Amino acid sequence: MKTAELFEEKTVFSLEVFPPKPEADEKVIYQTLEQLSDIHPDFISVTYGAGGGKNDCKTIQIASDIQNRYGVESVAHLPCINLTRAQAREILDRMHECGIENILALRGDKNSDTASCGEFRHASDLIQFIRENYDFNIIAACYPEIHPESRSAEDELKWLKYKVDCGADHLITQLFLDNDYFYAFREQAHATGIDVPIEAGIMPVTNKRQIERMVKLCGVELPKKFVRVLEKYEHNETALRDAGIAYAIDQITDLIADGVDGIHLYTMNNSYIAHRIFEAVESLISVSV
Ligand code: FAD
């Protein structure tokens, strides 16, 4: 099923996982997927490294298994920054053969040490390529606090609108910790004529190093109430985990009450946390249908 159709029926609740490292025991990701499939998410998306690492080929296998073994719709991510057109075609053909219908088309992060070696400059180039050659449902990334490379919010929205005009059917945001950024962004996106569903990306933060890395990489602001939680519980793993879960539930509750199109949970492959969050918001999702 194409994910864009899901929004016609309900508030979408979806999950993101990443493939295991090459040296990791494959059983673990399949145990995680089995536990995540108990949630009956609307779809599970699988990340794909832009650097061409060895575990990237696992993205297609895992996305295919999510559908065929667990009966859950899947989305395969595809960053294009280091791909030639021939390589993109090869990967997309494999995805099609595996029955994958949904692609999250991305540029990927630039590596400051090496020049990119691909033929696509932006996600919009890949979106156009897919639209011209395939029948996939296409998802694209968006940034409520604007992408670190964007010169201004106007520029950001102009290029986001261009991605939608090139063929993106649905958008998923970067993580954010202050819902007001999402509301302002969504309003501006609608005013720019962006009329596809926008899912809110929520990352339950459960460890200080993880959030510091994210803030550096994505330019996400830490609200004062979040910093208070981090500082109070940073040395107590269980307390920080529980506080991170509570914070995410609070964010999601507010977003659903405000009529968000969907929630995309960055699970970090942690099914325990995903379950706790889902159980807390399950009834809210069904009320908002
Ligand atoms: P683009 O849309 O190309 O945007 C990048 C910058 O260029 C922005 O400043 C934009 O305003 C500008 N821009 C866009 N189009 C044009 C244009 N046509 N002309 C000029 N400027 C333009 N990375 C991975 O490597 N693997 C993953 O699996 C992955 N999953 C992700 C999932 C989500 C939901 C999100 C939000 C991000 C994910 N990323 C992933 C990270 C992503 O690759 C980076 O954020 C990357 O820096 C930008 O990707 P993009 O697709 O948004 O790029």
Side-chain angles (χ1 to χ4, degrees):
M1 184 183 201
K2 298 187 170 182
T3 60
E5 293 165 21
L6 295 163
F7 298 89
E8 293 160 16
E9 294 161 23
K10 65 188 288 285
T11 305
V12 165
F13 189 85
S14 59
L15 307 173
E16 179 189 282
V17 297
F18 53 81
K21 294 213 161 64
E23 63 277 13
D25 182 354
E26 280 221 349
K27 271 195 222 131
V28 178
I29 183 72
Y30 285 99
Q31 281 162 0
T32 304
L33 290 174
E34 189 153 349
Q35 289 153 0
L36 291 177
S37 63
D38 288 345
I39 288 177
H40 302 296
D42 289 297
F43 66 87
I44 300 179
S45 80
V46 190
T47 66
Y48 193 119
K54 275 192 186 146
N55 57 340
D56 292 341
C57 53
K58 291 191 182 153
T59 297
I60 302 179
Q61 186 60 52
I62 293 170
S64 165
D65 289 337
I66 286 171
Q67 293 188 175
N68 301 324
R69 280 165 72 162
Y70 304 106
V72 175
E73 194 51 65
S74 71
V75 169
H77 295 210
L78 182 58
C80 60
I81 193 165
N82 288 318
L83 296 180
T84 61
R85 284 171 183 267
Q87 287 169 324
R89 195 181 282 282
E90 204 179 299
I91 296 169
L92 288 160
D93 284 347
R94 268 180 34 228
M95 289 177 172
H96 176 66
E97 282 156 23
C98 289
I100 294 166
E101 287 190 76
N102 303 290
I103 310 289
L104 175 42
L106 298 146
R107 185 196 68 184
D109 281 320
K110 287 185 177 164
N111 184 334
S112 49
D113 300 334
T114 50
S116 66
C117 50
E119 291 176 357
F120 301 92
R121 287 191 56 221
H122 286 286
S124 51
D125 300 331
L126 178 63
I127 294 169
Q128 259 174 343
F129 180 76
I130 298 175
R131 198 38 92 228
E132 283 163 13
N133 295 286
Y134 297 88
D135 182 35
F136 289 111
N137 177 73
I138 305 171
I139 306 166
C142 61
Y143 304 84
E145 294 177 67
I146 81 171
H147 187 276
E149 289 167 38
S150 290
R151 280 179 305 189
S152 64
E154 291 73 34
D155 239 35
E156 171 87 10
L157 284 162
K158 178 178 86 179
W159 293 120
L160 183 60
K161 171 80 165 63
Y162 184 61
K163 285 205 273 196
V164 173
D165 291 343
C166 287
D169 299 292
H170 147 200
L171 302 171
I172 303 181
T173 76
Q174 175 79 274
L175 74 109
F176 56 89
L177 294 156
D178 180 344
N179 288 359
D180 286 343
Y181 279 111
F182 176 80
Y183 297 135
F185 161 77
R186 188 181 54 181
E187 196 179 319
Q188 286 160 6
H190 289 163
T192 313
I194 293 169
D195 57 1
V196 296
I198 304 177
E199 258 195 291
I202 298 294
M203 180 177 281
V205 179
T206 55
N207 122 14
K208 194 162 180 252
R209 268 220 329 268
Q210 166 206 355
I211 190 63
E212 283 168 351
R213 201 172 65 84
M214 287 298 170
V215 167
K216 201 164 155 222
L217 189 70
C218 319
V220 171
E221 193 184 300
L222 294 184
K224 279 197 189 121
K225 72 173 182 176
F226 186 80
V227 173
R228 277 197 293 277
V229 167
L230 265 191
E231 288 177 351
K232 174 105 180 148
Y233 304 117
E234 65 176 300
H235 301 299
N236 184 327
E237 214 179 297
T238 308
L240 184 60
R241 181 199 66 195
D242 288 348
I245 291 172
Y247 194 92
I249 291 169
D250 191 42
Q251 265 194 290
I252 296 170
T253 303
D254 181 55
L255 287 160
I256 295 175
D258 197 77
V260 72
D261 293 318
I263 302 290
H264 188 65
L265 196 66
Y266 295 107
T267 70
M268 305 302 287
N269 292 9
N270 187 321
S271 59
Y272 170 79
I273 292 177
H275 266 273
R276 283 209 27 206
I277 293 175
F278 178 71
E279 280 154 21
V281 302
E282 184 179 7
S283 64
L284 313 184
I285 292 169
S286 39
V287 165
S288 67
V289 174

